[in-house]
């Protein structure tokens, strides 16, 4: 049930969020997920609940101070405009004591859930210990709902649970995409995590009008077509999947690459020559962008996940930045998701009202869009 259905006041609420943000030095690179959780936090605070805020941060194997959630405090205080109390544990007497002393309407941030290896093992014992902290469970962590982890699955299973406003929006918008198979829908897929994108292509091959590729994903498909893609290594398994999935796939026609430390421009016909393989493809070119723009114009719905090139290098972020401009200008009903993909958009454009929905989910969004049932949603009755 959505959080508005929780009519009581002054309860202890365990709020699972996904504040697994990236840091550069002591700055946060992406505060989008924190901002999107604000509405639910404000709501709980307004009804004078004690908010027990829980997240994971990174992927620690053990307790390491570098990945303590304590680091988040100044950013949370700034974005949420509320004081954040902290306890350096997730379970046990010390945490309970802190909760007892917490003001109604106040926030207590727990230590990194993944400091306990039980979290990723979906341990029921760990869940039981977390349960002792609160009266209700609320999820505002859409982006981890594809993971069967203790705080995402085992815990809400044994507690009266609710979901937050943002999670509700995610489901609403992504369901609309899933249910719009009859409309011209165009997918733009790129990036490097090939294994997470192959099922999406499989699912949408028959349901979409076209799938435009960029990034490493495009290189895989070019390779199976026999083009010389230079220095490129990929699992045989992906080449086999790509071979089966070729229809509806639209591939780039020009590229930027690096060769002997220099940026070079290549067209598809250059990739027919098999004599030189000393280059590495790192971005798409202008002709591809023109071509893709023309196709996108006829679509009614656009889904974009995965950068068109190596965005971390300024010389090769062009294709992705231009793709973002094209999608913004078209202003059709679009869904954009993925950690790196969102980083291409400025936070200003993300906050601006438009027909573009920026999903907080990377992997979760991809799995949802293949009609898979996500464990963390199923347990919330979604
Ligand atoms: P997202 O997080 O948006 O889902 P992925 O995690 O799948 O996207 O992939 C993002 C990464 O893909 C970026 O770090 C980007 O540099 C990389 N990438 C895209 N195209 C290329 C390329 N041609 N060569 C190397 N890396 C690439
Ligand atoms: Mg990524």
């Amino acid at each position: 049930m959505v959080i508005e259905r929780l009519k009581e006041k002054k309860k202890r609420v365990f709020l699972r969020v996904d504040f697994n943000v990236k840091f550069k030095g002591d700055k946060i690179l992406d505060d989008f997920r924190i901002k999107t959780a604000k509405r639910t936090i404000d709501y709980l605070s307004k009804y004078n609940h004690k908010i027990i805020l829980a997240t994971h941060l990174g992927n620690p194997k053990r307790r390491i101070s570098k990945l303590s959630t304590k680091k988040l405090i100044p950013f949370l205080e700034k974005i949420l405009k509320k004081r954040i109390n902290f306890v350096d544990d997730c379970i046990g007497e010390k945490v309970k004591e802190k909760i007892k002393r917490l003001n109604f309407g106040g926030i207590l941030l727990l230590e990194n859930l993944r400091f306990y290896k039980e979290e990723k093992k979906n341990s029921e014992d760990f869940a039981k210990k977390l349960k002792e902290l609160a009266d209700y469970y609320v999820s505002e962590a859409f982006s981890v709902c594809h993971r069967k982890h203790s705080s995402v699955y085992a815990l809400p299973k044994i507690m009266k649970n609710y979901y937050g406003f943002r999670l509700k929006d995610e489901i609403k918008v992504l369901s609309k995409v899933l249910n719009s198979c009859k409309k011209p829908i165009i997918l733009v897929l790129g990036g490097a995590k090939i294994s997470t994108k192959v099922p999406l292509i499989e699912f949408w091959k028959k349901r979409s009008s076209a799938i435009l590729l960029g990034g490493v994903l495009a290189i895989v498909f070019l390779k199976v077509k026999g083009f010389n893609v230079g220095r490129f290594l990929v699992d045989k398994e992906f080449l086999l999947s790509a071979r089966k999935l070729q229809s509806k796939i639209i591939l780039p026609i020009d590229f930027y690459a690096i060769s002997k430390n220099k940026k070079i421009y290549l067209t598809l016909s250059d990739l027919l020559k098999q004599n030189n393989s000393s280059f590495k493809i790192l971005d798409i070119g202008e002709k591809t962008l023109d071509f893709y723009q023309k196709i996108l114009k006829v679509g009614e719905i656009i889904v974009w996940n995965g950068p068109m090139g190596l965005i971390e290098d300024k010389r090769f972020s062009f294709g992705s930045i231009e793709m973002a401009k094209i999608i913004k200008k078209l202003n059709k009903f679009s869904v954009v998701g993925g950690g790196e993909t969102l980083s291409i958009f400025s936070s200003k454009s993300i906050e601006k009202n438009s027909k573009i929905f920026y999903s907080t989910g990377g992997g979760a969004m991809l799995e949802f869009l293949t009609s898979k049932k996500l464990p963390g949603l199923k347990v919330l009755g979604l």
Side-chain angles (χ1 to χ4, degrees):
M1 273 187 288
V2 68
I3 183 64
E4 281 165 302
R5 304 281 286 273
L6 173 59
K7 294 292 179 205
E8 288 161 279
K9 288 176 184 165
K10 290 192 164 186
K11 292 289 171 187
R12 297 168 302 161
V13 174
F14 184 97
L15 179 61
R16 176 57 157 110
V17 289
D18 180 2
F19 291 169
N20 180 25
V21 290
K22 283 197 196 87
F23 284 88
K24 195 175 181 182
D26 7 290
K27 273 217 176 101
I28 288 191
L29 287 177
D30 49 340
D31 52 14
F32 180 54
R33 285 182 188 154
I34 303 176
K35 286 178 177 161
T36 55
K38 188 171 184 313
R39 190 172 161 208
T40 293
I41 292 172
D42 286 348
Y43 183 88
L44 292 172
S45 181
K46 191 176 116 193
Y47 284 93
N48 276 318
H49 298 298
K50 294 189 180 194
I51 304 167
I52 301 148
L53 199 58
T55 183
H56 69 284
L57 186 61
N59 204 2
K61 298 268 176 302
R62 58 191 159 78
R63 228 171 227 279
I64 37 170
S65 59
K66 216 180 101 197
L67 286 175
S68 168
T69 53
K70 200 174 176 178
K71 278 173 79 174
L72 295 169
I73 296 172
F75 305 99
L76 296 183
E77 293 198 324
K78 196 162 161 227
I79 297 166
L80 302 172
K81 299 193 176 69
K82 285 191 170 65
R83 190 182 130 71
I84 305 291
N85 302 279
F86 175 76
V87 56
D88 62 357
D89 211 338
C90 309
I91 49 174
E93 288 313 312
K94 185 155 103 190
V95 183
K96 286 187 204 161
E97 198 48 46
K98 278 261 190 181
I99 295 170
K100 235 181 238 165
R101 278 189 276 142
L102 183 69
N103 292 336
F104 285 103
I107 304 174
L108 177 69
L109 176 66
L110 303 186
E111 185 50 285
N112 192 345
L113 288 162
R114 287 196 188 164
F115 280 0
Y116 284 88
K117 61 179 186 320
E118 291 87 343
E119 163 67 357
K120 281 177 79 176
K121 290 186 179 153
N122 192 34
S123 148
E124 284 175 16
D125 274 345
F126 184 56
K128 275 182 201 151
K129 287 176 189 152
L130 290 171
K131 181 180 187 258
E132 288 171 15
L133 306 179
D135 306 301
Y136 295 107
Y137 176 95
V138 177
S139 173
E140 195 54 291
F142 173 69
S143 43
V144 281
C145 281
H146 59 314
R147 308 255 184 238
K148 208 169 179 176
H149 292 174
S150 225
S151 67
V152 180
Y153 189 75
L155 180 62
K157 214 172 163 184
I158 55 170
M159 281 183 89
K160 175 98 177 121
N161 61 58
Y162 294 87
Y163 48 87
F165 297 108
R166 175 67 193 197
L167 192 141
K168 186 184 161 200
D169 285 350
E170 291 276 354
I171 306 300
K172 195 174 106 195
V173 174
L174 295 177
S175 300
K176 188 172 157 192
V177 174
L178 263 188
N179 298 329
S180 302
C181 291
K182 292 206 175 65
K183 292 192 179 148
I185 170 160
I186 296 173
L187 276 74
V188 182
L189 298 177
K193 270 192 215 148
I194 299 168
S195 61
T196 62
K197 330 252 164 165
V198 166
L200 200 71
I201 300 178
E202 254 158 23
F203 182 84
W204 285 96
K205 201 174 74 162
K206 291 204 185 78
R207 295 171 173 90
S208 65
S209 301
I211 303 176
L212 316 181
L213 296 194
V216 182
L217 202 55
I219 305 177
V220 178
F221 281 81
L222 287 164
K223 189 166 169 96
V224 297
K225 279 189 181 291
F227 289 101
N228 171 8
V229 292
R231 287 191 284 129
F232 174 70
L233 266 176
V234 72
D235 263 356
K236 266 219 176 87
E237 175 201 338
F238 294 137
L239 291 175
L240 285 173
S241 326
R243 198 160 284 143
K244 285 190 213 133
L245 292 172
Q246 288 184 60
S247 64
K248 288 249 176 86
I249 295 288
I250 299 180
L251 292 168
I253 48 174
D254 63 343
F255 311 87
Y256 285 101
I258 198 140
S259 176
K260 296 184 188 112
N261 261 325
K262 265 182 60 201
K263 182 175 169 179
I264 57 166
Y265 176 76
L266 296 166
T267 63
L268 208 48
S269 56
D270 292 319
L271 303 192
L272 284 171
K273 300 174 201 146
Q274 303 286 347
N275 51 350
N276 174 9
S277 293
S278 67
F279 59 92
K280 200 167 178 192
I281 299 174
L282 294 173
D283 200 7
I284 58 171
E286 289 87 348
K287 287 206 176 92
T288 303
L289 285 158
D290 271 354
F291 174 45
Y292 282 7
Q293 183 169 23
K294 286 194 183 106
I295 300 170
L296 287 170
K297 271 188 185 152
V298 301
E300 265 184 51
I301 301 174
I302 301 169
V303 175
W304 181 20
N305 169 267
M308 300 289 100
L310 182 72
I311 49 169
E312 293 80 1
D313 184 331
K314 275 208 171 74
R315 293 171 298 173
F316 301 103
S317 59
F318 165 80
S320 304
I321 292 172
E322 289 301 309
M323 180 54 79
K325 283 188 194 156
I326 290 171
I327 290 178
K328 275 197 287 188
K329 207 164 139 214
L330 288 172
N331 201 24
K332 294 173 188 269
F333 169 46
S334 314
V335 175
V336 177
E340 269 82 24
T341 312
L342 285 192
S343 75
I344 301 161
F345 292 83
S346 68
S347 50
K348 236 201 218 142
S349 60
I350 290 184
E351 275 150 41
K352 212 166 110 188
N353 243 339
S354 76
K355 287 194 218 153
I356 304 171
F357 182 79
Y358 298 90
S359 175
T360 55
M365 172 185 115
L366 294 177
E367 288 196 20
F368 193 95
L369 287 179
T370 56
S371 206
K372 240 181 158 177
K373 296 276 169 272
L374 311 192
L377 295 180
K378 208 171 134 199
V379 72
L380 302 171
L382 284 163

